[in-house]
């Protein structure tokens, strides 16, 4: 066995014990690091969780919002309250605000609308919009949007105006004007707050603007003069409609395009997106709050003194905004649209061009008419209702999930 003992030294190469011991040593030392990496790696390599819908992304949580965004509902209701108080307790506020007009719209309101739209339109990537039109899905969605905006929504408002106001011809006609005027301004705000697709919203706004010039006058005349047991002789000129659209979309859109291409040419996309946009972005909401305050201040006395008429007009408006919004959202979900497109479609369908409706009502029926009152109540109801829909859709989609 001692002869076998020298062999064991060669046998020592069957060093299985030593090799097994070494691996075991390696397993104790290396695996300590390996074990932790092995423990980490599966997590790293495991498939990522499904993406959250845009409205539920961490960057959009309450804590990550700016101070202005975080308490937007509070600021809007404060602006409404201050406006009503100014209109009722400060002498001649309403007439003073209406003294200067810019193409039949009060200058303070016109300034607010332009300031409100400009920052949002600056975010649109005009240089790459042509790529959007290469997708067949966009053309299908555009067709869907045109049907909802120019057939379904105006007819629904016509039905509601007759259902709620059969005995009030003036208020009914004002509501009809609101229903036919498709939104080209505030929809950008609501869409932005709900994290809809900004580029697609800009396309819909542009399409609705062109169609508004063509279709607003004939549709308004059809609903008021033809589909009515007591037809009213009114005249709506194409020039009034075209001017309103050209001013309130053309000026901020042209300024935004010029700004974007100039700054991208002179500087870099990084400067534009990280430096310039954060500086101008808050002005959109400041413009919204200012516009709301001016609107309520200029109409506050009329609203309080004709509270019964205001309440009667409010009921069909609340039904209109809510039903059109959720019906469009449901159809978009069933058709398989992404959240960002579905919510853009819904806010575009539920929003209205109040500045055009007011301008036409005043021009056709007079500033003190029931038609002008109904058109004025439109934005006073639209603002709080659509703000509620922004918060509602974000909560709903976060809960139910929709990419």
């Amino acid at each position: 066995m001692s002869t076998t003992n020298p062999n064991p030294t060669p046998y020592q190469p069957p060093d299985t014990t030593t090799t097994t011991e070494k691996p075991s040593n390696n397993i104790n030392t290396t695996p300590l690091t390996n074990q932790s990496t092995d423990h980490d790696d599966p997590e790293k390599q495991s498939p990522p969780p499904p993406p959250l819908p845009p409205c539920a992304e961490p960057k959009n949580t309450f804590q990550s919002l700016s101070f202005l965004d975080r308490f937007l509902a509070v600021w809007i209701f404060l602006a409404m309250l201050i406006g009503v108080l100014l209109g009722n307790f400060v002498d001649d506020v309403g007439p003073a605000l209406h003294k200067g007009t810019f193409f039949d719209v009060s200058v303070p309101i016109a300034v607010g609308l332009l300031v409100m739209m400009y920052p949002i339109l600056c975010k649109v990537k005009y240089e790459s919009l042509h790529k959007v039109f290469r997708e067949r899905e966009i053309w299908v969605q555009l067709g869907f949007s045109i049907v909802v905006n120019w057939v379904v929504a105006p007819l629904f408002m016509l039905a509601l105006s007759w259902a709620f106001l059969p005995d009030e011809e003036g208020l009914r006609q004002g509501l009809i004007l609101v229903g036919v005027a498709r939104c080209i301004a505030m929809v950008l705000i609501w869409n932005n707050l709900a994290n809809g697709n900004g580029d697609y919203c800009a396309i819909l706004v542009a399409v609705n603007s062109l169609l508004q010039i063509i279709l607003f006058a004939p549709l308004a005349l059809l609903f008021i003069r033809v589909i009515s047991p007591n037809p009213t002789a009114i005249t709506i000129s194409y020039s009034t409609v075209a001017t309103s659209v050209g001013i309130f979309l053309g000026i901020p859109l042209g300024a935004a395009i010029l700004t974007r291409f100039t700054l991208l040419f002179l500087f870099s996309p990084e400067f534009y997106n990280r430096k310039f946009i954060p500086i101008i972005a808050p002005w959109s909401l400041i413009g919204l709050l200012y516009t709301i305050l001016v609107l309520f201040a200029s109409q506050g006395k009329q609203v309080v003194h004709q509270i019964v008429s205001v309440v009667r007009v409010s009921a069909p408006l609340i039904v209109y905004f809510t039903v059109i919004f959720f019906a469009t959202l449901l159809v978009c979900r069933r058709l398989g649209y992404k959240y960002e497109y579905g919510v853009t479609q819904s806010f575009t369908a539920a929003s209205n061009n109040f500045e055009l409706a007011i301008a036409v009502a005043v021009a056709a029926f007079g500033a003190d008419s029931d038609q002008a009152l109904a058109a004025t109540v439109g934005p006073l109801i639209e603002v709080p209702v659509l703000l509620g829909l922004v918060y509602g859709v974000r909560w709903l989609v976060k809960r139910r999930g929709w990419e």
Side-chain angles (χ1 to χ4, degrees), residues 28-50:
N28 288 344
T29 53
T30 326
L32 274 179
T33 53
N34 283 349
Q35 263 180 339
S36 62
T37 28
D38 287 344
H39 180 69
D40 291 342
D41 282 347
E43 285 186 6
K44 288 178 185 174
Q45 290 168 8
S46 63

Side-chain angles (χ1 to χ4, degrees), residues 71-85 288-289 292-293 296 380-388 391:
F71 300 103
L72 182 62
V74 177
W75 309 139
I76 285 180
F77 283 109
L78 274 177
M80 290 161 62
L81 178 63
I82 293 169
V84 169
L85 292 175
L288 172 69
L289 295 173
I292 291 168
L293 191 147
F296 277 78
L380 308 188
I381 302 302
E382 178 179 334
V383 169
V385 171
L386 289 192
L387 180 67
Y391 289 112

Side-chain angles (χ1 to χ4, degrees), residues 140-155 182 208 211 345 349:
V140 173
Q141 291 197 30
L142 271 177
F144 173 75
S145 175
I146 290 168
V147 171
V148 171
N149 277 277
W150 293 102
V151 179
V152 177
L155 285 173
R182 309 315 302 157
N208 279 336
L211 290 175
Q345 290 276 20

